[in-house]
Amino acid sequence: MRRVRKFNFPHIYILLLIIIFFAGVLTYIIPAGSFDTITLEDGREVVDPDSYTSVEQTPVGLMDFLSAVPLGLEDAASIIFFILIIGGSFNVLQETGALQAGLGRLTRLGGGKSPWIIPILMFAFALGGATIGMAEETLIFIPIMISLALAMGYDSVTGLAIVFIGGMSGFAASLVNPFNLGVGQAIAGLTLFSGMGLRVALFSVTVLVSIIFVMRYAKKVKANPEKSVTYEIDQTRSNDFDLESMPKFGLCEKGIFIVALGTLILLMIGVFRYDWFLTEISALFIGMSMLMAPP
C-alpha cells in the first residue's frame, strides 16, 4: 500500500526567507525608481506620490540577500525588543494566576448559570484582547469555559466561542494593544494609539455583533441540543462544573490587577501627554513586571 506523505506547512522563518529571495529576484525584473519624502504639519515624513524618478538598476547579489536578515534585525531592533519585553511582561502576569482568579470571580458575580454570563465573559476577554493583547493566552481558559457551558446546558462550541470569539473580537478591534496596534502604527510612522475615537466605535460594534452571534447560537443549542455539532461528544463529557474549584481572587490577585490597570492608565497618559514611544513603553512594562513578579 502506497504511503501518502503528509504536507507540513513551512516554518515562518522559511516563509520569510522565501519572500526575501523573491524580492531579490524582482530587483532584476522591476525597473528601479525612488520617491522623495515630505514632512507633514504633525512632523511625520511621508512619501510624495508625485516625486517618482527612475534610477539606475542595482540588482541584489547573494551577499545582499544573506545580509538582509541581520540588517533587518538591526534596523527594526527597537520594535523587536519592544515585542519581546511586552510579551515577557504579559507572561509574568499570566504566571501569577491573577487572570484565572479574576475570571473565577467574574463568573461568580455573573451568577454561574445565568445566560448573561456569556456576554459578561465575552466582553472581559474582548477587553483583554483590546488592551493587553490577549490572544493565544486565552487558550488556557477554554477547558474551564467548556465545562461552564456544559453546566449551563449549552455545548462545547459555546464554551470555545466565549473565549475565542470574545478575545479575537477585541484583539482585531484593538484599543491600546501594544502588539498589533502599537507595532503597526510604529511601522507606519503614525502617532502611537492615534484615532482612538474610531477604534472605540469599531470595538463596540465588533464586540456587540460577536456577542449577539454567540448568544443566538447558544440559545438554539439549549433549545435543541441535537443541533450542536458536538452533541455526541458532549454526551460523554462530565458537566460537574464547580465554581469553588476556581482560584480565589485574594488580596494578592487584586493588587496585581491594580498594577495592571495602573500601567494601562500611565501608558495612556504617557503616550498622549508626554509623547512616549517604544522605549518609554518598554520601560513602563519592565516596571510592571518587577511589581508583579513573585518574590
Side-chain angles (χ1 to χ4, degrees), residues 238-277:
S238 60
N239 59 355
D240 53 345
F241 180 73
D242 182 14
L243 279 175
E244 299 304 319
S245 65
M246 299 189 71
K248 301 296 182 182
F249 192 62
L251 184 62
C252 180
E253 288 75 19
K254 291 177 182 176
I256 290 173
F257 265 82
I258 291 173
V259 171
L261 179 61
T263 300
L264 292 176
I265 294 173
L266 286 175
L267 173 65
M268 300 294 292
I269 295 174
V271 167
F272 291 111
R273 186 167 182 178
Y274 299 107
D275 296 325
W276 284 5
F277 204 54

Side-chain angles (χ1 to χ4, degrees), residues 50-270:
D50 299 322
S51 63
Y52 177 81
T53 55
S54 298
V55 298
E56 184 180 353
Q57 196 98 357
T58 55
V60 172
L62 177 60
M63 184 54 67
D64 295 320
F65 162 68
L66 297 175
S67 301
V69 173
L71 290 176
L73 291 172
E74 179 182 341
D75 187 57
S78 60
I79 296 177
I80 292 171
F81 283 105
F82 171 76
I83 295 173
L84 291 175
I85 291 172
I86 301 296
S89 300
F90 290 147
N91 188 64
V92 171
L93 172 60
Q94 182 178 333
E95 289 296 321
T96 63
L99 290 175
Q100 295 90 324
L103 175 65
R105 177 63 173 168
L106 190 62
T107 305
R108 295 185 191 96
L109 291 176
K113 293 190 177 182
S114 169
W116 289 105
I117 193 63
I118 294 178
I120 291 173
L121 290 173
M122 287 189 66
F123 180 78
F125 282 116
L127 201 60
T131 54
I132 65 174
M134 286 183 63
E136 63 276 3
E137 294 86 356
T138 60
L139 295 176
I140 62 174
F141 298 110
I142 290 177
I144 300 174
M145 289 299 101
I146 289 179
S147 298
L148 174 62
L150 292 175
M152 294 170 64
Y154 303 118
D155 65 345
S156 298
V157 176
T158 303
L160 173 66
I162 291 173
V163 179
F164 190 75
I165 296 181
M168 292 305 104
S169 64
F171 191 91
S174 173
L175 298 176
V176 290
N177 182 346
F179 297 105
N180 59 356
L181 180 63
V183 172
Q185 288 187 325
I187 293 174
L190 299 174
T191 302
L192 209 57
F193 303 139
S194 56
M196 181 62 73
L198 174 62
R199 291 202 310 280
V200 169
L202 291 174
F203 173 82
S204 302
V205 172
T206 303
V207 174
L208 179 61
V209 171
S210 300
I211 290 174
I212 292 174
F213 174 79
V214 175
M215 289 285 286
R216 289 185 62 185
Y217 173 81
K219 183 179 179 180
K220 180 184 72 173
V221 168
K222 191 166 188 177
N224 187 354
E226 293 185 0
K227 289 187 176 181
S228 169
V229 295
T230 59
Y231 174 73
E232 294 183 0
I233 298 175
D234 289 341
Q235 298 307 303
T236 64
R237 296 181 186 270
S238 60
N239 59 355
D240 53 345
F241 180 73
D242 182 14
L243 279 175
E244 299 304 319
S245 65
M246 299 189 71
K248 301 296 182 182
F249 192 62
L251 184 62
C252 180
E253 288 75 19
K254 291 177 182 176
I256 290 173
F257 265 82
I258 291 173
V259 171
L261 179 61
T263 300
L264 292 176
I265 294 173
L266 286 175
L267 173 65
M268 300 294 292
I269 295 174

Side-chain angles (χ1 to χ4, degrees), residues 1-19:
M1 186 175 180
R2 185 178 179 183
R3 187 177 180 180
V4 179
R5 282 189 72 181
K6 183 180 178 182
F7 173 74
N8 293 319
F9 197 79
H11 193 279
I12 182 62
Y13 293 142
I14 299 299
L15 293 177
L16 289 174
L17 288 174
I18 292 173
I19 293 173

